[in-house]
Amino acid sequence: MMNWDQLLNTTRLGHRAAKQEPGRSPFNSDHDKVIFSGSFRRLARKTQVHPLATNDHVHNRLTHSLEVACVGRTLGMRVGEKLIGEERLHPSFSPTDLGDIVQTACLAHDIGNPPFGHTGEEAIRHWFTHDAGSELIARLDPEEACDLRNFEGNAQGFRVLTTSEYHAYDDGMRLTYASLGSFVKYPWMSLAAVDGQRPKREKYGIYRSELALFEEVAEATGLIRKGPQWYCRHPLVHLMEIADDFCYALLDLEDGIEMGILDWDEVFSLLEPVLDTGRVAELKAEMQRLRPGRRPPLIRGKVISEFVDSAAEAFIKNEAAILAGEHDELLLLCDTRVRECVIAAKNLAKQKVFQHPRKIEMEIGAYNTIATVLDVSCHAALNYIHNDDLSDYKSRRVIDLIGKDSFGPAAQPRSQQGLSPDYLALMRALDFVSGMTDNYAMHLARQFKGFGSMT
C-alpha cells in the first residue's frame, strides 16, 4: 500500500534537497520551472487537433495545457481538502500542495508531443519502421530500437523533464519526485507495451534512456512494482489524466463548433444530461440570442463543475484501492451521467472533428515534413559521433543547429551508461525534431530541400 507522506516527496531528482523559499513551496517551484521552459513555450505553435489552424479561437497545445492545468489544480485541491478533513493526510501538507502537483503534471502532460500532434507521433514511428530510419536502428538492442520504432509523446515528455531541458543530461528540470511521479501516465517501457504485457497496449511512458531516472522516482515515492520495469501509477496521475479527458471532451467540441464542423444542437444535447435540470430552460432561452460560437462559454463552467465534483468524489471513495495500485482509470469510477457524457463527447470528436477533410490533408503533408527533418537530423547525428571532424559540410551545419553540446562528454549522464552510442545519438536528434513547432518543422523541411522560405 502506498502512503501519502512518501508520495508527496519534496526531494528533487538526483536526491537534491528542495530549497526553502518564503511564500513558495517546492511544488509551486516545480510549476514555475515548467511554465518558464522553452519546451512549454513552444506548445503555442504545436497542433492540438487541427494542424496550422488559421482560426485564432481554435486550441493549440499551449492553451489546451493551460486549461487542463486549471481543472487539475481544482481537482487536486478538492481532493486535498477531503483528505485533510478526514485526517488521511499529514497536517504539514495543504490542499494547495496537491493542487500545485497536479497543476504541474497537467501543464507538462503534452510537453513531449512533436509537431503536428498525434500525426507527428505516427509520422516518426512510420519513418523508423518503414522508411529510411529502419536501417539506422537495425543493429540496435531490441529495447533501444523499440523506443524509436514506437515513438511516444508521453515518454518524450518524461525525457524533457528529466534529461533535455535546463540542466541538460544532468537531471533536466530537477523537479520534485512527487511532481515527476504524478506526470507518468504509463509507468512501463516500450517493449512490454507493444508486446501487450501492460494495461494500455502500445502506450508507454519511459524510454530505455530514462529508465534509471524513473526507477529513482518510483523508489522515492513508494510506487508499487507490478512486474519487470513496471510500476503502478502515482495516485495523482489519475487526477491529471481525468482533467485532460474532461478538457478533451468539452473543448474539442467547442473547436468543432467554431470551425463549422459540428452543430450546436448535437453538442448541447450531449452535454445537457450533466446540467442542473432546473436551469436548462433558462440557459436555452439565453443561448437562443447568441450565435453558436458564443454559446459554449455559458455552460462550460457548469459542465466542468459537474465533472470535477464527480471525479473528486470518485477518487475519495476509492482512495484505498487507488493507494493499493488497483485502478487504472478514474473516469470509469465516476457517476454514470458524467462517464457517459465524456465518452460520448470523445466519440463524437473522433467521428466528425478528427476526420475533417482539411485536417486529413494537412496530416498527409506532415508525414513528408517529419520524414525530411528526421532524415537529415538523424544521419547528421550518426555521422558526427562516428566522424567528429565532420568533413561533410551539410552534416556539420545540421549539428550546429542541433547543438554540439548534445553530443559532448557532458552528455553522458549517470542514467545512460551502457547504452549504445547510436541509440543516444538518435535520441538527441529526436529531441531536436520532436521539440520543433509546426511552423519551424515546415520551414526547416523546405530549407533542407533547398526551397527557401515561403513568403
Side-chain angles (χ1 to χ4, degrees), residues 287-324:
M287 287 186 290
Q288 280 300 114
R289 297 192 292 272
L290 302 172
R291 67 175 178 84
R294 295 181 67 88
R295 292 172 186 172
L298 289 181
I299 65 167
R300 182 193 302 134
K302 298 173 180 61
V303 172
I304 290 176
S305 180
E306 292 291 334
F307 286 174
V308 167
D309 287 347
S310 177
E313 182 179 349
F315 187 96
I316 293 298
K317 191 177 294 184
N318 294 278
E319 184 212 2
I322 290 171
L323 288 174

Side-chain angles (χ1 to χ4, degrees), residues 156-432:
Q156 186 67 28
F158 188 74
R159 181 172 167 84
V160 169
L161 298 180
T162 62
T163 299
S164 64
E165 184 82 28
Y166 288 169
H167 304 279
Y169 313 108
D170 189 21
D171 298 336
M173 294 191 193
R174 299 178 182 174
L175 303 183
T176 63
Y177 289 127
S179 291
L180 288 171
S182 300
F183 170 84
V184 183
K185 288 169 66 174
Y186 310 113
W188 53 82
M189 291 174 58
S190 61
L191 199 57
V194 299
D195 287 346
Q197 299 172 29
R198 301 291 181 263
K200 292 274 187 178
R201 183 170 175 79
E202 297 183 358
K203 286 284 189 180
Y204 67 98
I206 309 298
Y207 289 139
R208 177 64 186 86
S209 53
E210 278 68 54
L211 177 60
L213 298 178
F214 174 68
E215 289 184 331
E216 182 181 316
V217 172
E219 181 180 351
T221 53
L223 303 186
I224 299 169
R225 187 185 289 271
K226 303 190 79 171
Q229 301 170 349
W230 174 24
Y231 292 80
C232 74
R233 285 177 162 184
H234 190 293
L236 297 184
V237 169
H238 295 289
L239 301 184
M240 177 265 279
E241 181 179 50
I242 205 166
D244 189 28
D245 282 343
F246 290 161
C247 288
Y248 262 126
L250 186 58
L251 302 170
D252 281 356
L253 301 189
E254 288 191 20
D255 285 348
I257 293 169
E258 185 65 41
M259 297 185 74
I261 300 170
L262 297 178
D263 178 73
W264 165 252
D265 290 333
E266 68 180 326
V267 172
F268 183 75
S269 65
L270 189 152
L271 300 174
E272 184 178 351
V274 302
L275 295 171
D276 180 353
T277 54
R279 293 208 56 200
V280 169
E282 176 190 343
L283 285 168
K284 284 182 176 179
E286 190 175 357
M287 287 186 290
Q288 280 300 114
R289 297 192 292 272
L290 302 172
R291 67 175 178 84
R294 295 181 67 88
R295 292 172 186 172
L298 289 181
I299 65 167
R300 182 193 302 134
K302 298 173 180 61
V303 172
I304 290 176
S305 180
E306 292 291 334
F307 286 174
V308 167
D309 287 347
S310 177
E313 182 179 349
F315 187 96
I316 293 298
K317 191 177 294 184
N318 294 278
E319 184 212 2
I322 290 171
L323 288 174
E326 294 174 3
H327 285 301
D328 288 313
E329 195 167 350
L330 185 59
L331 180 62
L332 299 179
L333 303 176
C334 289
D335 68 73
T336 304
R337 287 180 316 130
V338 168
R339 183 173 66 251
E340 291 181 351
C341 177
V342 171
I343 292 171
K346 292 171 80 171
N347 286 338
L348 178 60
K350 287 177 184 177
Q351 293 163 10
K352 292 192 174 182
V353 179
F354 295 179
Q355 300 304 319
H356 192 261
R358 183 177 181 278
K359 181 176 184 296
I360 295 171
E361 291 167 2
M362 294 297 293
E363 288 174 348
I364 294 169
Y367 263 71
N368 293 330
T369 297
I370 292 290
T372 299
V373 293
L374 274 175
D375 190 66
V376 174
S377 302
C378 289
H379 279 95
L382 292 175
N383 284 345
Y384 183 69
I385 65 164
H386 291 297
N387 179 24
D388 61 10
D389 66 345
L390 275 186
S391 55
D392 175 1
Y393 178 79
K394 179 182 175 182
S395 292
R396 188 163 69 245
R397 299 306 284 163
V398 173
I399 293 301
D400 287 339
L401 278 178
I402 298 174
K404 290 183 180 179
D405 56 323
S406 297
F407 302 92
Q412 298 293 333
R414 59 191 168 84
S415 62
Q416 297 181 0
Q417 301 301 315
L419 301 178
S420 72
D422 281 17
Y423 169 71
L424 294 176
L426 290 170
M427 291 300 291
R428 283 153 197 164
L430 199 50
D431 290 339
F432 176 60

Side-chain angles (χ1 to χ4, degrees), residues 72-85:
R73 179 191 62 222
T74 301
L75 270 169
M77 292 182 69
R78 189 76 59 83
V79 166
E81 287 170 352
K82 290 276 190 181
L83 292 175
I84 289 172

